Amino acid sequence: MATAFVINSPFAQTPVSVIPANFDFHSHSTVSDGLLAPHDVARRAAANGVDFWALTDHDDLGGLAEARQVAEEAGMRFVNGVEISIEWKGIPIHVVGLGFDHLHTGLSGGLDALRIGRIERARRMGDALAAIGIPGVYEGALCYAANPSLISRAHFARYLVSIGIARDVPGVFQHYLTPGKPGYVDHRWATLTEAVGWITAAGGVAVVAHPGRYKMSGGEMRKFLDEFKEIGGQGIEVTCGSHSPDHVLHFARLARHYAFHASRGSDFHGPEESYVDLGKLPQLPEDLKPVWRLIR
Ligand code: AMP
Ligand code: MN
Ligand code: MN
Ligand code: MN
C-alpha cells in the first residue's frame, strides 16, 4: 500500500494530498469534438466516480476554466489538459499535455496557429467531397461544431451521417475520412518538437496519446519514443479507451523500458461516441509510475 504525500500545485486551488483512486486524464467537450459542454463532462466524470480529472480538448484551451470550476465544486481535483495534433514522419499522432499554465503564450499561440490550419484543411475536405458529388459538407459540418475554429473530422462525420451518406460515424470514417478515402486530405500539423516544447515551456508534462492506434511498425514506435524522450516527453498512455488488454501489456513494457510515467484516460467524446465512459477503465498495472505524480 502506497503512502500518501503532499504536492503543492500552483495550478490547483487546494493542495493535492490524497492518492487518486480513479484518475481520467483524457476527455473531450464541445470546445473540440466532444458532444457535451465542459460543465456536463465535469458532472458526468464526478458521477462516474472520477476523483482526479483532466479535460483534454484537441488544440484548444477554451474549456479549462469552466471545467476546473465545476470539477472542484463537484469535489474532484482538476488538471489542465490539451491533446495536440502533430505529424511525425508523415504519421498523424496526438500528444497530450497535462498540468501546464493555460495562460502561457507559447502554448496558446501555437494552438491558435493549429486552429487556423484546421479551418483551411476543413475547406479542402469540403472541396474534396464536392468533387465526388457531395456538396456543402464544410458548411454542414460547421453546424455541428460549437467551436467553429476547432472543426474536426468528427463534425464532418456527424453531418455526413445526418444526410444519410453512412449509417454511423465509424462508417463515415471507414469510407470517406481516412487516408486513401475521398474526403481525407493531407495536412501539416505541429511537429513533435513544437508540441512537446509548448507543453514543457508552459510547465506541463507531455504524454503520448493512445499509442496503440498509430499505424507504425515496432521499430518506428521505438524511434518515435526515442525522439519523444530526447526532447523532454515524460509520459505514455497505457490504459486508455481504445487499448486492448494486449496493448496495455505492450505499452506497459515500453513505459518501463523508457522510464516513462503512465497515464490512464477514457478519451470520452460523448455517451454514444466513445469506447468507454469517463473513469470506466481498468487501473494501471501496479508497478508503473502514474503520471499524476508529475503534476505540480
Ligand atoms: P481530426 O483531429 O479532425 O483529424 O479528427 C480526429 C478525431 O476524429 C478523433 O479525435 C476522433 O474523435 C475522431 N475519429 C478518428 N478516427 C475515427 C474513427 N475511425 N471512428 C470514429 N471517430 C474517429
Ligand atoms: Mn476527437
Ligand atoms: Mn486522439
Ligand atoms: Mn482524444
Side-chain angles (χ1 to χ4, degrees):
M1 162 85 194
T3 41
F5 55 92
V6 174
I7 306 164
N8 287 312
S9 169
F11 308 124
Q13 286 174 358
T14 47
V16 171
S17 58
V18 185
I19 291 179
N22 188 357
F23 81 101
D24 187 337
F25 281 179
H26 191 146
S27 62
H28 297 273
S29 76
T30 47
V31 167
S32 63
D33 56 0
L35 292 163
L36 305 179
H39 62 267
D40 285 326
V41 188
R43 293 202 183 98
R44 190 179 182 99
N48 283 4
V50 172
D51 53 3
F52 202 175
W53 174 55
L55 181 69
T56 57
D57 274 309
H58 299 284
D59 308 328
D60 201 313
L61 310 179
L64 297 179
E66 175 183 323
R68 174 181 295 282
Q69 187 187 332
V70 178
E72 290 178 351
E73 280 167 11
M76 291 186 291
R77 285 141 65 193
F78 181 78
V79 56
N80 285 338
V82 67
E83 183 176 15
I84 303 183
S85 312
I86 72 155
E87 187 201 340
W88 179 83
K89 297 193 189 300
I91 305 168
I93 291 177
H94 289 168
V95 174
V96 164
L98 296 170
F100 48 80
D101 171 8
H102 62 288
L103 300 177
H104 191 274
T105 52
L107 174 61
S108 59
L111 299 179
D112 289 345
L114 267 183
R115 290 197 302 278
I116 291 168
R118 271 187 180 272
I119 296 170
E120 178 269 331
R121 176 186 73 142
R123 291 212 173 91
R124 285 188 289 122
M125 288 172 60
D127 293 345
L129 289 163
I132 59 155
I134 318 174
V137 183
Y138 169 66
E139 293 75 10
L142 269 181
C143 298
Y144 282 79
N147 173 7
S149 80
L150 207 292
I151 184 143
S152 140
R153 281 184 293 157
H155 303 118
F156 277 73
R158 289 171 196 152
Y159 173 70
L160 287 166
V161 170
S162 79
I163 61 169
I165 294 293
R167 200 141 40 109
D168 54 21
V169 164
V172 182
F173 271 90
Q174 191 184 341
H175 296 292
Y176 294 92
L177 298 180
T178 41
K181 303 300 175 184
Y184 187 86
V185 299
D186 281 333
H187 185 62
R188 292 268 94 84
W189 296 106
T191 64
L192 177 63
T193 307
E194 284 170 333
V196 174
W198 299 335
I199 293 164
T200 52
V205 175
V207 176
V208 180
H210 45 63
R213 276 176 52 188
Y214 306 125
K215 296 208 170 12
M216 280 185 190
S217 66
E220 281 174 322
M221 176 58 74
R222 283 191 296 278
K223 179 91 180 55
F224 171 73
L225 295 177
D226 287 342
E227 273 186 42
F228 177 72
K229 186 170 176 88
E230 172 75 29
I231 60 179
Q234 292 178 279
I236 187 166
E237 287 183 354
V238 171
T239 307
C240 70
S242 52
H243 276 181
S244 67
D246 280 349
H247 284 136
V248 173
L249 292 174
H250 181 66
F251 292 105
R253 271 196 299 273
L254 287 175
R256 290 179 200 110
H257 175 80
Y258 284 93
F260 285 146
H261 282 66
S263 194
R264 173 178 187 261
S266 58
D267 205 0
F268 178 78
H269 280 73
E272 287 95 37
E273 273 191 35
S274 299
Y275 304 100
V276 295
D277 208 329
L278 290 150
K280 307 266 185 189
L281 62 173
Q283 294 291 348
L284 289 172
E286 269 191 13
D287 66 300
L288 297 182
K289 300 173 289 181
V291 74
W292 57 259
R293 283 200 198 148
L294 295 174
I295 305 300
R296 283 170 294 117

